[in-house]
Amino acid sequence: MSEEADTHEGNGKVSRVIRIGTRKSQLARIQTDSVADRLKELYPDVHLEIVAMSTIGDKILDTALSKIGEKSLFTKELENALERNEVDLVVHSLKDLPTTLPPGFTIGAVLKRENPHDAVVLHPNNAGKTLETLPEKSVIGTSSLRRAAQLKKRFPHLEFRDIRGNLNTRLKKLDEKQDFAAIILAAAGLKRMGWENRISTILEPEDCMYAVGQGALAVEVRARDADILEMVSVLHDPETVLRCIAERAFLRRLEGGCSVPVAVHTQVKDSQLYLTGAVYSLDGSDSLKETMQTSTAADDKVLQSLEEVDEQVQRVGVTASKIPSDAQDRAERLGMELADLLLSKGAKEILTVARQLNDSR
């Protein structure tokens, strides 16, 4: 709990103050407000305070993310505040959270996923066009090696260049200059900002698979704060949790991060969790892609013993004690086994070369 975390109301009741940490960008604030609104509905007696701060990733805007060489670009300052008890929980885009969290922290909630796919946003002059119909050598802006690798292979007539900054900045760079024919952004962010009308195409998995955890919000807490953990656990969306555990386990096993092109696609259908994972060379010419599946159905015996589950079990950083543990275990195993399959076919070599090339650029 933070210091001075109680306030006395006029009626003599003591009300808790919960401080929520967030990045300062407009999108981060919108995402954090959406989590705060859910908590207010569920716990009307709790007072919520939002504490906004800048992170390394927000400050270094002239360098590609993959070149900065820091795994927790958008999370470190927020975690420092959590560690110092200045905030009680932090709202992140799950895709910004490394697959191994610092000791003492856990993801206490993964909320229902927004559309995880990437979107094409065209320069106003190119209205009505698609990536396919853009002229030869049109420049596409993306700060993601994953997007560039997949799209270079799929659309060899296009060129790809880094574009950094928050959503507002990137759209401004697109609209006000002639540098880019289009930019690629996460559909979820555009939707949360109310800018769906800027989306010209949603990229299907055949064209571009998404990043691990993309489209999902995560609430990070101190692992020892049982009351806060319990409080936020009701925000978990079971299907999103299982999909993201599988995705994060896949990435962790591959030792991937911002600096290598790794992509996924997950789906839950008829009590089966399907995970497609892929690794790419920087230019997309070399790639490996496979799909595996596992059951998401809960074992009756496990359901009966759910009360006795050790609350502190973390799977790739996620604590979800109210979701059947065997389903979580299977999701984690699925991610690891798919990574092992790709590694057995040469994924490590592809990623090592990609990392070395990126470092030397």
Side-chain angles (χ1 to χ4, degrees):
M1 250 338 278
S2 310
E3 315 292 326
E4 296 105 33
D6 295 332
T7 61
H8 287 268
E9 299 197 338
N11 57 11
K13 267 168 113 183
V14 174
S15 166
R16 274 185 90 173
V17 176
I18 305 285
R19 295 185 177 90
I20 307 179
T22 176
R23 287 168 60 196
K24 280 183 174 168
S25 76
Q26 189 185 351
L27 177 60
R29 290 300 304 262
I30 286 171
Q31 294 180 164
T32 302
D33 288 345
S34 74
V35 173
D37 290 345
R38 291 279 309 277
L39 288 172
K40 271 180 204 153
E41 279 169 31
L42 294 159
Y43 308 103
D45 290 343
V46 170
H47 280 259
L48 299 172
E49 275 178 21
I50 291 174
V51 181
M53 56 197 89
S54 294
T55 65
I56 303 169
D58 296 313
K59 291 170 187 164
I60 305 176
L61 293 175
D62 55 354
T63 309
L65 291 179
S66 58
K67 301 283 284 178
I68 301 173
E70 164 64 65
K71 266 202 174 146
S72 45
L73 278 180
F74 294 111
T75 58
K76 205 173 192 172
E77 284 78 1
L78 296 165
E79 284 172 341
N80 289 346
L82 201 52
E83 192 167 25
R84 291 192 298 262
N85 281 1
E86 290 166 9
V87 296
D88 301 298
L89 50 110
V90 173
V91 177
H92 302 280
S93 292
L94 181 58
K95 71 172 180 174
D96 291 338
L97 275 172
T99 51
T100 304
L101 299 182
F105 299 120
T106 189
I107 296 164
V110 178
L111 286 81
K112 188 171 173 58
R113 194 173 211 167
E114 185 52 84
N115 183 336
H117 296 281
D118 289 317
V120 179
V121 179
L122 293 166
H123 186 285
N125 294 352
N126 294 318
K129 292 194 171 76
T130 63
L131 290 182
E132 210 132 26
T133 60
L134 280 171
E136 189 84 22
K137 296 216 177 316
S138 292
V139 177
I140 310 301
T142 173
S143 52
S144 154
L145 297 179
R146 171 190 58 80
R147 290 171 182 151
Q150 293 179 82
L151 295 172
K152 276 175 188 171
K153 186 178 186 179
R154 181 74 182 75
F155 304 102
H157 69 292
L158 301 175
E159 293 187 358
F160 293 84
R161 215 175 285 155
D162 275 324
I163 183 166
R164 286 287 322 281
N166 59 37
L167 276 188
N168 312 52
T169 311
R170 281 187 247 183
L171 281 172
K172 210 171 165 180
K173 284 180 183 174
L174 171 70
D175 292 343
E176 294 181 4
K177 297 180 176 177
Q178 301 298 319
D179 297 355
F180 299 102
I183 58 177
I184 312 295
L185 298 167
L190 289 162
K191 191 169 176 191
R192 289 186 184 120
M193 293 284 275
W195 294 340
E196 274 174 292
N197 62 331
R198 290 304 308 263
I199 297 175
S200 65
T201 320
I202 297 272
L203 293 169
E204 293 302 320
E206 306 74 71
D207 291 334
C208 191
M209 295 203 304
Y210 42 82
V212 165
Q214 186 161 317
L217 297 182
V219 180
E220 188 179 17
V221 300
R222 290 180 290 270
R224 66 174 188 272
D225 279 356
D227 52 347
I228 298 278
L229 203 48
E230 175 65 26
M231 180 185 188
V232 301
S233 69
V234 295
L235 301 175
H236 268 310
D237 175 65
E239 182 178 302
T240 305
V241 169
L242 295 178
R243 288 172 64 186
C244 291
I245 283 177
E247 293 172 17
R248 285 171 65 80
F250 172 72
L251 183 65
R252 177 146 89 182
R253 188 69 140 212
L254 287 175
E255 296 176 359
C258 257
S259 56
V260 287
V262 173
V264 292
H265 178 257
T266 47
Q267 195 179 11
V268 173
K269 202 174 168 188
D270 303 328
S271 299
Q272 291 286 311
L273 169 61
Y274 296 86
L275 169 65
T276 302
V279 301
Y280 303 87
S281 58
L282 289 190
D283 64 359
S285 60
D286 208 358
S287 65
L288 285 167
K289 179 173 164 183
E290 294 289 345
T291 302
M292 289 173 81
Q293 70 193 79
T294 190
S295 167
T296 60
D299 184 328
D300 290 341
K301 286 181 203 147
V302 176
L303 282 176
Q304 285 160 14
S305 64
L306 203 52
E307 297 303 305
E308 299 139 44
V309 171
D310 174 9
E311 297 263 329
Q312 290 311 311
V313 174
Q314 280 197 39
R315 291 169 186 84
V316 277
V318 179
T319 301
S321 57
K322 292 181 170 69
I323 295 168
S325 57
D326 65 322
Q328 293 185 63
D329 287 338
R330 284 198 298 271
E332 185 175 29
R333 243 187 344 264
L334 175 67
M336 286 156 64
E337 285 169 4
L338 184 64
D340 287 339
L341 176 60
L342 291 189
L343 289 167
S344 73
K345 295 186 170 199
K348 196 155 193 67
E349 292 68 25
I350 292 176
L351 293 178
T352 301
V353 171
R355 200 175 268 120
Q356 287 166 346
L357 275 175
N358 184 53
D359 289 346
S360 66
R361 285 199 307 186

